[in-house]
Amino acid sequence: TFKPGDTVHYAPAHGKKENGVVKSMCEDGIHAFVVYHCGGEWHKFQDYTAARTSIADLKEGWVN
């Protein structure tokens, strides 16, 4: 289970992987709100808009 502040990467079955930070978890238990774009200001991730993302498509940590 992820929690706010965790570094993750979006890893869909097909497509590009993308790094992000979990902003919050959805009450449905199957989605998280993840900040993907913050101009490199990851320490301010809470100030940025997050995208609702299926937890099934998230993996722990960042990728290069």
Side-chain angles (χ1 to χ4, degrees):
T1 301
F2 298 110
K3 63 186 183 314
D6 283 351
T7 56
V8 295
H9 64 277
Y10 176 65
H14 302 287
K16 181 182 167 217
K17 293 180 180 175
E18 190 167 1
N19 292 328
V21 176
V22 175
K23 185 170 184 177
S24 64
M25 298 301 295
C26 291
E27 290 181 12
D28 66 10
I30 59 172
H31 294 93
F33 285 101
V34 180
V35 175
Y36 294 105
H37 304 284
C38 63
E41 296 185 311
W42 294 108
H43 63 287
K44 294 183 178 180
F45 74 92
Q46 289 284 18
D47 297 337
Y48 288 84
T49 301
R52 185 174 178 251
T53 306
S54 172
I55 292 171
D57 290 333
L58 293 175
K59 305 292 183 218
E60 289 183 39
W62 284 351
V63 293
N64 293 329

